[in-house]
């Protein structure tokens, strides 16, 4: 019966009834799609006459868990182009049962069967545009850069390909349907949505990735080897593309936003919850395609509010700042051009720009990205929030230029400048990547910052180097870098400054025969050292020493299991306890003195990770950590319990539930009490009413309990903080609860055309009870908002 169903479609692909066939497993990876003066109706059925002339990409290979072998499931990709767009038709054959397909929001198809088209329109093997679809034609899109890939760690197995950054949205059309033999999808990508070369005849790099959910396998059109210094450099090509007409590319995207903010007004019994309905805010964005390869963007008073709050994060190390990704559309467009090592560009530093402009593109092997933004005066260092006076609009200027060298190497220069009231910060950077042979690569960076304020001028360096061997069975990476304590990136993100860091990682992988329950085993020992930068320069010992033994098992059907043993020591850092005192008991002197911790804390942690397959209705990840860990609050060795779990539940084709839970606790060795414990429970529920219309609810409850802190490692006396005038207050001793809920109704027929209606509220209850979550006296704030944008494309 299966053969009878499949045969008519296979017969339709016979060479006499279609264009040229390019079988990548036979080495035919350079395709010449036909140029056809026609258009196709995007209805998910490949029935128009043009599809009979299309080039056919076939002969897929498996990428994971074992690369280079023939794919188990057959895939055919049809390609042709018209003067104004390129068309792809996908026939994905599935002999194991129904394809995994749901009606979901854009970019949320990773748990479905899907096909991703990687287009390198500059054919440079370094970056690609990603256009993905699930069996129903639901879209995912973004960019992929040839960056360093993961080779080990908790829950990580063999070397992985680069993952797409799904931040950007492109305008393209797609529609698909599930068939008895698999699924079929039709795609149209307008040239207006692309940047590409200016040559009259050109070649584009291409590869196609297929995710097969029933097996957990990943297939590619070209037989990619993971044991290589690059992934995108192994793509095929679409040759002979000519007479591409982009036309005038001007996108005008006006925005209208209205907010009603709720807050408590008055004090005591007279306090009432009142709402302030603000006037509509009008702004907008303009995008002009200056040429095929250069784009100019500008924005005036845009609405940069987020329609979903950032997910809560646990703090593993109080010295490490938390990183939140950029979500604002203006900054995301062309953002891959600003990517730098060590995050020297972090656009969330620009908080509420009154005006911003951006130029991005690539000319003759040189990528250029320039951003200039004038932030709101209220974000100035000199602004007084009480009086509403002082300060001026901070100005940010960022320039990033990269030059291709040879096949896969590159060199880049970055300059950033921030000017504020009586303050300036400038950073200059030189970085690059050199590919040595087929599996070795060297990444390097050198930068300096100059910061001027009322205290004077500081100039400070940053430097790093990474040598990597990307072997299939044996891989290794060696990195060493440092950053002076006075280095400042005014337009970037520095997680922890003033340190030097060295990491040596080895990876040994064993692969089983195909079909074996145990598909792969990876052993990954890691030796890691961290110095205070001044300590390294003066020849002193590292303050952190870590030896990690990671073991990961890849199992059949997409299961993975990991385990780790972490042996660590942490040296005392006086800067972490500046202004901290200890009230010593009588037997230790009975006085109050500055706190001094024990020289080193030894750790021994155990880790278990588990990842389930991507079933039609359920998938999940789990990490559990226990053992002896450092307690930064009391600078003592303590018991640790850490649980992180998340899941995706899809009871119907339109409903998606995404629960997550984090529990973290540190326990004293002396009295077995939990010094600090915290929980973050989060649930996201999405119902896709129709393909462009969805309703979403996000609820997050977090709680933190901290006991009064003591000098656990030495005297047992209370830890104090000076309050002035010779007075002290004991540290810790508090409990906090926070509840946040966001509701959103969204209509988004195409990127840039959006209607949002939402409500969000935050409260601080004594405990998780329904009555406290609804009572006004526990509420912190809330807000209603409506946002309307429309994309005018010329």
């Amino acid at each position: 019966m299966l053969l009878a169903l499949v045969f008519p479609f296979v017969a339709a692909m016979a060479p006499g009834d279609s264009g040229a066939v390019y079988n990548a497993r036979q080495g035919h990876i350079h395709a010449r799609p036909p140029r056809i003066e026609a258009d196709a109706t995007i209805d998910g059925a490949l029935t128009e006459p043009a599809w009979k002339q299309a080039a056919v990409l076939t002969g897929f290979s498996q990428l994971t868990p074992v690369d280079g072998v023939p794919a188990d499931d057959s895939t055919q990709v049809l390609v042709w182009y018209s003067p104004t767009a390129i068309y792809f038709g996908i026939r994905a054959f599935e002999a194991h049962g129904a394809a995994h397909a749901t009606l979901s929001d854009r970019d949320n198809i990773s748990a479905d069967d899907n096909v991703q088209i990687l287009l390198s329109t500059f054919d440079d093997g370094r970056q690609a545009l990603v256009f993905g679809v699930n069996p129903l034609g639901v879209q995912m899109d973004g960019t992929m850069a040839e960056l360093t890939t993961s080779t080990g760690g908790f829950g990580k197995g063999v070397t992985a390909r680069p993952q797409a950054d799904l931040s950007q949205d492109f305008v393209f059309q797609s529609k698909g349907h599930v068939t008895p033999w698999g699924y079929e999808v039709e795609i149209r990508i307008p040239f207006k949505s692309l940047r590409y070369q200016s040559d009259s005849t050109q070649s584009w790099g291409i590869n196609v990735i297929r995710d097969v959910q029933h097996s957990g396998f990943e297939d590619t059109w070209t037989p990619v080897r993971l044991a290589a210094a690059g992934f995108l450099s192994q793509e095929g090509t679409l040759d002979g593309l000519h007479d591409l007409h982009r036309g005038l590319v001007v996108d005008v995207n006006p925005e209208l936003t209205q907010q009603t903010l709720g807050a408590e007004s008055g004090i005591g019994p007279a306090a009432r919850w009142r709402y302030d309905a603000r006037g509509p805010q009008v702004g907008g964005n303009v995008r002009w395609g200056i040429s095929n390869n250069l784009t100019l963007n500008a924005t005036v008073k845009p609405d940069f509010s987020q329609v979903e709050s950032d997910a809560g994060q646990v703090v593993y190390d109080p010295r490490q700042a938390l990183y939140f990704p950029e979500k604002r559309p203006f900054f995301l467009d062309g953002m891959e051009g600003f990517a730098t090592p060590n995050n020297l560009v972090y656009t969330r530093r620009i908080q509420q720009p009154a005006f911003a402009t951006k130029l991005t593109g690539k000319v003759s092997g040189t990528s250029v990205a320039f951003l200039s933004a004038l932030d709101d005066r209220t974000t100035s260092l000199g602004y007084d929030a009480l009086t509403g006076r002082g300060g001026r609009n901070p100005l940010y200027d960022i320039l990033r230029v990269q030059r291709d060298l040879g096949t896969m190497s590159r060199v880049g220069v970055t300059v950033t400048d921030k000017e504020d009231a009586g303050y300036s910060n400038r950073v200059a950077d030189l970085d690059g990547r050199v590919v040595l042979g087929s599996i070795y690569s060297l990444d390097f960076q050198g930068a300096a910052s100059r910061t001027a304020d009322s205290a004077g001028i500081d100039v400070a360096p940053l430097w790093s180097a990474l040598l990597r061997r990307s072997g299939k069975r044996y891989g290794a990476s060696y990195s060493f870098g440092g950053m002076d304590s006075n280095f400042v990136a005014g337009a970037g993100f520095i997680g922890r400054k003033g340190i030097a860091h060295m990491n040596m990682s080895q990876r040994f992988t064993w692969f089983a025969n195909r079909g074996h329950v145990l598909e792969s085993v990876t052993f990954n020992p890691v030796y890691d050292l961290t110095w205070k930068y001044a300590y390294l320069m003066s020849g002193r010992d590292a303050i952190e020493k870590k030896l990690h033994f990671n073991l990961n098992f890849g199992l059949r059907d997409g299961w993975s299991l990991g385990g780790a043993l972490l042996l660590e020591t942490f040296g005392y850092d006086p800067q972490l306890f500046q202004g901290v005192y200890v009230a010593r008991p009588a037997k230790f002197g009975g006085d109050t003195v500055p706190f001094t911790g024990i020289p080193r804390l030894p750790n021994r942690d155990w880790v278990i990770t588990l990842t389930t397959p991507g079933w039609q209705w359920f998938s999940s990840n789990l990490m559990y950590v226990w053992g002896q860990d450092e307690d930064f609050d009391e600078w003592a060795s303590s018991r640790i319990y850490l649980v992180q779990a998340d899941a995706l539940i899809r009871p119907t084709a339109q409903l998606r539930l995404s629960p997550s839970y984090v529990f973290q606790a540190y326990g004293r060795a002396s009295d077995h009490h939990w010094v600090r414990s915290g929980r973050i429970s989060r649930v996201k529920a999405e119902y896709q009413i129709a393909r462009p219309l969805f309703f979403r609810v996000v609820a997050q409850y977090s709680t933190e309990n901290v006991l009064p802190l003591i000098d656990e490692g030495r005297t047992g006396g209370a830890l104090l903080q000076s309050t002035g005038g010779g007075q002290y207050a004991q540290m810790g001793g508090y409990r906090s609860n926070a509840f946040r809920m966001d509701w959103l109704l969204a209509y988004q027929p195409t990127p840039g055309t959006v209607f949002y209606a939402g409500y969000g509220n935050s409260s601080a209850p004594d405990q998780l009870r329904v009555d406290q979550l609804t009572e006004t006296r526990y509420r912190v704030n809330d807000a209603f908002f409506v946002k309307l944008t429309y994309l005018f494309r010329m």
Side-chain angles (χ1 to χ4, degrees), residues 62 70-74 96 215 217 219 514:
Q62 190 180 114
D72 286 350
D73 299 280
S74 177
H96 298 80
S215 62
F217 292 174
D219 302 335
R514 297 188 71 183

Side-chain angles (χ1 to χ4, degrees), residues 149-172:
T149 53
S150 172
T151 58
F154 303 159
K156 299 175 183 176
V158 298
T159 303
R161 67 171 175 86
Q163 295 299 308
D165 178 357
L166 304 181
S167 302
Q168 296 191 50
D169 290 332
F170 304 103
V171 177
F172 71 105

Side-chain angles (χ1 to χ4, degrees), residues 622-625 641-645 661-664:
L622 172 69
M623 181 173 73
Y624 178 47
V625 182
Y641 287 100
L642 172 64
V643 178
Q644 287 186 325
Y661 176 75
V662 180
F663 170 73
Q664 182 185 37

Side-chain angles (χ1 to χ4, degrees), residues 109-121:
I109 65 172
S110 59
D112 292 332
D113 283 294
N114 66 80
V115 172
Q116 302 167 36
I117 298 167
L118 277 54
L119 280 182
S120 296
T121 54

Side-chain angles (χ1 to χ4, degrees), residues 721-744:
Q721 215 164 21
S722 175
T723 58
Q727 301 297 312
Y728 301 91
Q730 186 167 7
M731 300 173 63
Y734 65 88
R735 178 182 176 85
S736 65
N737 298 278
F739 180 76
R740 173 76 187 179
M741 178 169 284
D742 296 294
W743 307 73
L744 179 70

